[in-house]
Amino acid sequence: MSGGEEIELTVINDGDRSTITVERGTTLRDALQNRGVSVYGTVSSQLNCGGRGLCATCTVEVDPAPEPVHWHDAAAVRFGYPRLSCCLEVDRPMTVRLLEKRVWGQVLPRRTDSE
């Protein structure tokens, strides 16, 4: 890292919580990947757009969610879809929930308490 301000991220993966620090301005996808945390499913971990906002396989849930700056993220906000980690810049502390993915970037439906 180049010595910029460090931002704390809480990462939730299958119920487990961890905390990492990343340099302000880092793309969320890169920050997670650089720490060995994959935002991809099995297939898309090998076949993805490399963080260009094209394949929609690096989705995560973030809180608080930054304002969208990419067309896909604007649609995600409008329709309540997960956000693309490659289109989010870390500019403040946030909680990132990794999503379980089935095929390509397809997110599994959330389980309810009744299941």
Side-chain angles (χ1 to χ4, degrees):
M1 291 195 181
S2 62
E5 180 185 357
E6 295 287 310
I7 304 289
E8 195 170 273
L9 301 179
T10 300
V11 179
I12 302 172
N13 187 8
D14 199 24
D16 294 330
R17 284 181 172 270
S18 59
T19 302
I20 61 173
T21 56
V22 302
E23 187 174 331
R24 178 185 293 278
T26 305
T27 303
L28 181 58
R29 172 197 175 270
D30 294 344
L32 294 169
Q33 293 288 102
N34 290 342
R35 303 290 184 304
V37 178
S38 179
V39 294
Y40 297 108
T42 305
V43 175
S44 60
S45 66
Q46 300 299 313
L47 302 167
N48 58 71
C49 71
R52 294 179 190 87
L54 301 172
C55 69
T57 61
C58 65
T59 54
V60 295
E61 291 179 351
V62 291
D63 184 36
E67 289 297 316
V69 294
H70 183 274
W71 70 267
H72 185 282
D73 259 7
V77 169
R78 181 174 182 195
F79 298 109
Y81 299 135
R83 303 287 295 273
L84 296 181
S85 62
C86 67
C87 295
L88 298 174
E89 187 175 288
V90 177
D91 64 353
R92 67 186 123 194
M94 64 178 73
T95 298
V96 179
R97 181 180 305 278
L98 302 178
L99 304 173
E100 187 177 355
K101 297 172 182 164
R102 201 175 276 167
V103 176
W104 196 237
Q106 179 187 17
V107 176
L108 292 173
R110 288 182 181 247
R111 293 188 178 130
T112 62
D113 291 336
S114 63
E115 293 182 68

